[in-house]
Amino acid sequence: MKTIKILAAVAIVAFVSAFTIPGGGYKVGDVATDFKLKNVDGKMVSLSDYKSAKGFIVVFTCNHCPFAKAYEDRLVALDKKYSKQGYPVIAINPNNPEKQKEDSYDLMKVRAREKGFTFPYLFDDGQKIYPQYGATKTPHVYILQKTAKGNEVKYIGAIDDNHEEPSAVKEKFVENAVDALLKGQSVKVTETKAIGCSIKA
Amino acid sequence: METIAVNFRKALSVVAIFIFAVGYSQSDPKPLEIFAQGGITVNSYDFKSFAPYLNRTDDTVYVVNFWATWCAPCIVELPHFEKLGQAYKDKKVKVLLVSLDSKKNVEKSLIPFIRKKKLQSQYVLLSDPDMNGWIPKVDPDWSGALPATVIYNGSTGQRKFYEQSFTYGQLESEVKSFIQ
């Protein structure tokens, strides 16, 4: 009888965890965790290394996903425009290479070189950081602003409103948000949705 | 005489299939564009023209799966949706596969995939760049990650959204909870 009860409990836990809707992670206004992750150049990178930054454009991205690839050039452009204004791009690959071979650390190095990444491209070894942020897909952006309480989340979502045609973009969500923060204004559109590749943990 | 009878019966069934097909296609929303290649046609919609697929009101359980040929976990679970559609086709369960492939990949990737896998379920293309506009209309909880699935019962209004991959067992038990 006891065994049956235990089995039932195990079954319930398995069932519930199988159907847990991803909804955890940060909301706008939360303070985001720092991390220490390995960059493609072999060095460890933390947000606290950036003493003079005003904030960060943290983007969960990867090598294999067509949506992530569609935004690589736009990430380089964002970094070129905003790192000198105090908002560098920090890219993190959250995928487990055992589940998605193309997202291995070695292939990250290749991709960063091919695309001329001007920003760190970090490996979330063990897939520990992305769940804290609540990222569910690539690409998935979190804009953080340095405040007295820490790195505060100011925006979560997409880079802009057209992944396929950069020339057809009507709203540049990330640029609008960072521009507002640089002017000391509040971000108007704080959350957006876009299709992406689910994170493979 | 016998041959004529057989032919007549055959003709009748052809007519019946034709009527069924016409009646059926009338209940589908009108596509904005149709891609055709080697006998395979794919109807393409923007979200507005696609939306009726999510809001049918007849006595059927609709299983609407959002996928793309580039989405590895989608490809893994696709056979489960195919199997379900076949196993429950007499039980008022209908599977709709909604591809989010880009239009320029329809002839290069989507149609060859449909041909290779001999897809049995109904399939359409949803191509609408205003994702931030339409994703929340599918479900407010959808982050945009693929795969994603909506199951709803047209007559009871029961509806559930899943941002996850399914095993066949999980999918079947979910669908059963929608069957009256």
Side-chain angles (χ1 to χ4, degrees):
Chain A
M1 192 61 201
K2 204 176 169 187
T3 341
I4 292 169
K5 269 187 191 162
I6 290 167
L7 277 177
V10 168
I12 289 166
V13 168
F15 184 81
V16 169
S17 56
F19 284 87
T20 302
I21 295 159
Y26 298 136
K27 304 261 182 296
V28 169
D30 287 349
V31 172
T33 185
D34 199 351
F35 40 75
K36 195 170 185 185
L37 300 174
K38 193 153 97 173
N39 192 9
V40 282
D41 64 4
K43 292 177 185 148
M44 301 303 280
V45 171
S46 297
L47 297 177
S48 59
D49 300 339
Y50 291 77
K51 304 289 181 213
S52 61
K54 293 171 187 162
F56 304 92
I57 303 169
V58 175
V59 54
F60 292 91
T61 186
C62 67
N63 303 330
H64 90 278
C65 174
F67 278 81
K69 284 183 188 171
Y71 276 108
E72 286 168 333
D73 293 340
R74 279 174 267 186
L75 285 181
V76 172
L78 279 174
D79 186 59
K80 279 186 179 157
K81 182 171 178 184
Y82 290 110
S83 63
K84 58 187 179 221
Q85 297 185 64
Y87 279 83
V89 167
I90 311 284
I92 302 173
N93 167 21
N95 286 340
N96 180 352
E98 284 171 25
K99 297 276 172 69
Q100 181 58 256
K101 284 185 187 135
E102 277 182 70
D103 290 329
S104 71
Y105 176 69
D106 283 339
L107 291 175
M108 284 172 63
K109 291 194 242 179
V110 174
R111 197 72 196 161
R113 195 168 52 233
E114 277 173 358
K115 296 304 292 183
F117 284 180
T118 52
F119 45 83
Y121 185 23
L122 311 176
F123 181 51
D124 188 1
D125 196 6
Q127 291 70 53
K128 293 188 176 75
I129 298 302
Y130 90 82
Q132 297 184 56
Y133 277 71
T136 57
K137 61 195 159 63
T138 54
H140 204 156
V141 176
Y142 291 76
I143 297 177
L144 315 178
Q145 185 181 37
K146 270 192 194 173
T147 66
K149 50 178 186 166
N151 291 311
E152 199 179 321
V153 178
K154 292 292 183 180
Y155 171 85
I156 302 173
I159 292 157
D160 58 41
D161 66 355
N162 195 322
H163 75 282
E164 240 174 308
E165 292 294 336
S167 58
V169 168
K170 291 193 197 92
E171 272 195 82
K172 297 181 172 182
F173 302 127
V174 165
E175 290 203 24
N176 293 346
V178 177
D179 285 344
L181 294 172
L182 286 170
K183 284 182 205 153
Q185 296 166 351
S186 59
V187 176
K188 283 201 187 95
V189 179
T190 55
E191 273 186 71
T192 59
K193 298 284 178 73
I195 295 293
C197 303
S198 57
I199 291 173
K200 281 95 186 158
Chain B
M1 194 61 205
E2 205 184 283
T3 2
I4 291 169
V6 169
N7 280 346
F8 184 63
R9 209 179 292 158
K10 232 185 218 171
L12 256 190
S13 63
V14 167
V15 169
I17 288 167
F18 184 69
I19 290 168
F20 176 74
V22 169
Y24 180 67
S25 67
Q26 276 174 350
S27 69
D28 282 341
K30 198 169 171 285
L32 295 187
E33 210 175 323
I34 299 171
F35 293 89
Q37 192 189 67
I40 290 173
T41 58
V42 177
N43 289 350
S44 169
Y45 299 86
D46 64 3
F47 187 75
K48 198 178 163 213
S49 57
F50 166 80
Y53 277 120
L54 293 174
N55 297 292
R56 295 182 183 239
T57 52
D58 56 328
D59 180 21
T60 300
V61 174
Y62 289 96
V63 180
V64 184
N65 175 241
F66 295 88
W67 70 292
T69 56
W70 48 257
C71 164
C74 302
I75 304 309
V76 171
E77 68 168 7
L78 207 63
H80 307 325
F81 287 87
E82 286 278 281
K83 186 177 165 190
L84 180 93
Q86 290 302 306
Y88 284 80
K89 66 179 170 189
D90 300 328
K91 291 171 185 152
K92 291 185 179 173
V93 173
K94 206 166 151 30
V95 172
L96 176 65
L97 304 175
V98 182
S99 161
L100 293 168
D101 282 271
S102 75
K103 275 186 187 172
K104 59 184 175 209
N105 283 334
V106 168
E107 290 178 355
K108 201 172 74 191
S109 309
L110 181 60
I111 290 181
F113 183 89
I114 291 167
R115 181 177 298 121
K116 191 175 145 210
K117 302 283 177 182
K118 299 187 175 72
L119 291 190
Q120 301 294 308
S121 309
Q122 190 184 2
Y123 45 79
V124 297
L125 181 78
L126 173 56
S127 174
D128 192 330
D130 181 23
M131 297 190 288
N132 187 46
W134 65 258
I135 289 171
K137 289 179 190 163
V138 174
D139 192 276
D141 288 333
W142 189 9
S143 78
L146 290 181
T149 300
V150 172
I151 303 177
Y152 74 99
N153 183 320
S155 59
T156 65
Q158 185 189 355
R159 176 183 291 261
K160 213 167 156 189
F161 172 78
Y162 309 83
E163 182 172 316
Q164 63 167 78
S165 293
F166 282 103
T167 63
Y168 185 74
Q170 287 170 339
L171 182 61
E172 188 180 33
S173 77
E174 282 300 301
V175 167
K176 276 182 179 165
S177 74
F178 282 82
I179 297 173
Q180 291 296 292

